[in-house]
């Protein structure tokens, strides 16, 4: 378990930094309660040693079950909430070099959503699916890294979904 954390944490915004040396986990929920969290940790891949991130890396609001995506220098945490009653459109951005996180209001998702999932390529991150007000959706949102803005993508998932896994390579995204 990570320092100063409960025994378990679930539904965190999980990501690997751009140079692939550290794993980051922010938010989520777990012990000692099921309330969403705002803090985070990182693990050094070389030593497999976890550590707690400084408080200036905390999410702008406690939440879980949203879409993480990354570019070489930043990680983004989009949507999430305290499902089923609280969904968010917030997008936060962590600067991997300084380990500071800030809210990016101009990048807010067009709708509040949780249980959405994300993947990224070099210029943008994508949020897929999710739950809003207890209903499942086929949303597809794009966050453009150069401008830190988000928008509806004209395409949507072929079916509503919130329990998907995303992965990708430099040219394609896969949803399972």
């Amino acid at each position: 378990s990570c320092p100063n954390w409960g025994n378990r944490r679930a539904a965190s915004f999980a990501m690997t930094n751009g140079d692939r040396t550290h794993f980051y986990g922010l938010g989520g929920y777990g012990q000692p309660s099921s309330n969403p969290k705002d803090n985070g940790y990182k693990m050094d891949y070389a030593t497999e040693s976890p550590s707690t991130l400084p408080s200036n890396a905390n999410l702008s609001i406690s939440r879980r079950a949203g879409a993480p995506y990354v570019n070489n220098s930043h990680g983004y945490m989009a949507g999430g909430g305290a499902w089923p009653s609280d969904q968010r459109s917030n997008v936060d951005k962590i600067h991997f070099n300084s380990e500071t996180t800030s809210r990016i209001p101009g990048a807010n998702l067009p709708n509040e959503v949780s249980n959405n999932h994300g993947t990224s390529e070099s210029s943008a991150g994508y949020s897929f699916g999710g739950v809003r007000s207890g209903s499942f959706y086929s949303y597809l949102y794009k966050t453009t890294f150069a401008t830190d803005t988000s928008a509806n993508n004209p395409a949507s998932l072929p079916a509503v979904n919130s329990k998907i896994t995303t992965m990708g390579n430099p040219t394609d995204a896969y949803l399972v």
Side-chain angles (χ1 to χ4, degrees):
S1 91
C2 290
N4 301 316
W5 281 49
N7 294 340
R8 293 178 286 278
R9 180 74 58 108
S12 295
F13 292 89
M15 64 195 78
T16 297
N17 65 335
D19 59 8
R20 297 185 174 14
T21 58
H22 293 88
F23 169 83
Y24 287 79
L26 290 104
Y29 71 100
Q31 294 181 349
S33 73
S34 61
N35 294 333
K37 312 294 183 200
D38 66 353
N39 60 346
Y41 65 92
K42 74 175 182 179
M43 183 187 75
D44 184 306
Y45 282 128
T47 63
E48 296 183 349
S49 299
S51 59
T52 300
L53 288 169
S55 60
N56 58 341
N58 288 357
L59 297 174
S60 61
I61 189 167
S62 298
R63 61 193 203 274
R64 66 181 194 108
Y69 26 87
V70 299
N71 65 17
N72 284 335
S73 56
H74 302 97
Y76 292 77
M77 291 73 62
W83 187 87
S85 61
D86 176 40
Q87 292 84 44
R88 300 287 176 170
S89 62
N90 297 38
V91 175
D92 290 351
K93 177 179 177 179
I94 185 170
H95 300 260
F96 292 128
N97 288 339
S98 64
E99 294 183 342
T100 58
T101 300
S102 55
R103 178 147 184 235
I104 311 297
N108 280 357
L109 299 178
N111 290 298
E112 296 171 339
V113 64
S114 66
N115 284 26
N116 51 320
H117 295 273
T119 192
S120 49
E121 45 92 0
S122 62
S123 65
Y126 298 86
S127 168
F128 299 93
V131 175
R132 183 169 175 231
S133 302
S135 297
F136 296 93
Y137 284 88
S138 59
Y139 295 133
L140 173 54
Y141 302 129
K142 177 181 181 180
T143 301
T144 303
F145 297 143
T147 59
D148 279 344
T149 56
S150 296
N152 282 315
N153 189 301
S156 63
L157 297 177
V160 296
N161 206 319
S162 77
K163 306 247 184 218
I164 54 179
T165 298
T166 56
M167 62 195 92
N169 63 32
T171 58
D172 297 298
Y174 300 91
L175 296 95
V176 182

